[in-house]
Amino acid sequence: MQNVKELLRSCDLRPTDQRLMVGKLLFDGIDKHVTAESIYRVLKKRNEKISLATVYNILHDFSNKKLLEKVIIDPEKVYFDTNTNIHYHFYYDDKKTLIDIPKDNILINSLPKAPKGQVIKNVEIIIHLENK
């Protein structure tokens, strides 16, 4: 628990009871992928007093301080593309604009092997851009 307190303090985050609860689950030395809901379920099973909204806020705080990386699988905004061929995108975060990457501007030489019993269905690349 002391390591989590030190980690939070080093990032200028006050080590509240709720942040320590979540931090203890996340920063145990084992890499993991979590959602706010999965963290909330674990804490509720342990009869911890925390709301789902608080878990979301903590995860966003941790992400803003670069303790976590957001991987957006299901974005809040859905774009409909008339180009139905396989292609990739640039996304301007500040303008909320999606554009195609020219075909000759990206080359994928290989992909990782799919887990046993699975096949790769599709590959999507969205490159997020921001102003310098």
Side-chain angles (χ1 to χ4, degrees):
M1 185 67 86
Q2 187 59 32
N3 289 341
V4 174
K5 277 185 185 179
E6 291 170 14
L7 177 65
L8 296 179
R9 285 186 178 131
S10 74
C11 294
D12 295 322
L13 286 170
R14 196 165 50 92
T16 62
D17 289 342
Q18 291 88 357
R19 283 183 179 149
L20 291 171
M21 259 189 270
V22 174
K24 188 176 176 186
L25 288 176
L26 294 173
F27 309 122
D28 60 1
I30 300 169
D31 286 337
K32 55 187 66 79
H33 298 92
V34 300
T35 63
E37 291 81 3
S38 69
I39 294 290
Y40 179 73
R41 281 192 302 270
V42 169
L43 293 173
K44 289 316 268 182
K45 282 182 185 175
R46 295 180 181 178
N47 294 316
E48 299 287 357
K49 303 281 186 211
I50 194 166
S51 70
L52 180 58
T54 300
V55 173
Y56 269 107
N57 290 336
I58 290 168
L59 293 176
H60 285 291
D61 289 345
F62 288 178
S63 177
N64 291 338
K65 295 294 185 174
K66 306 296 185 210
L67 294 173
L68 299 174
E69 182 71 29
K70 286 184 191 176
V71 179
I72 301 171
I73 302 297
D74 185 19
E76 295 175 12
K77 189 174 251 183
V78 176
Y79 288 86
F80 296 90
D81 191 347
T82 58
N83 180 355
T84 58
N85 296 315
I86 294 172
H87 67 288
Y88 310 106
H89 298 97
F90 285 122
Y91 184 72
Y92 293 91
D93 285 338
D94 57 345
K95 298 176 188 174
K96 309 285 188 232
T97 304
L98 190 72
I99 65 168
D100 291 348
I101 295 174
K103 270 194 226 180
D104 56 350
N105 207 355
I106 192 165
L107 175 65
I108 300 172
N109 289 323
S110 67
L111 295 172
K113 291 182 180 178
K116 187 176 180 178
Q118 302 294 307
V119 295
I120 295 173
K121 176 182 171 186
N122 188 22
V123 175
E124 297 178 0
I125 296 174
I126 300 174
I127 299 173
H128 292 257
L129 302 173
E130 64 181 12
N131 293 327
K132 288 183 182 181

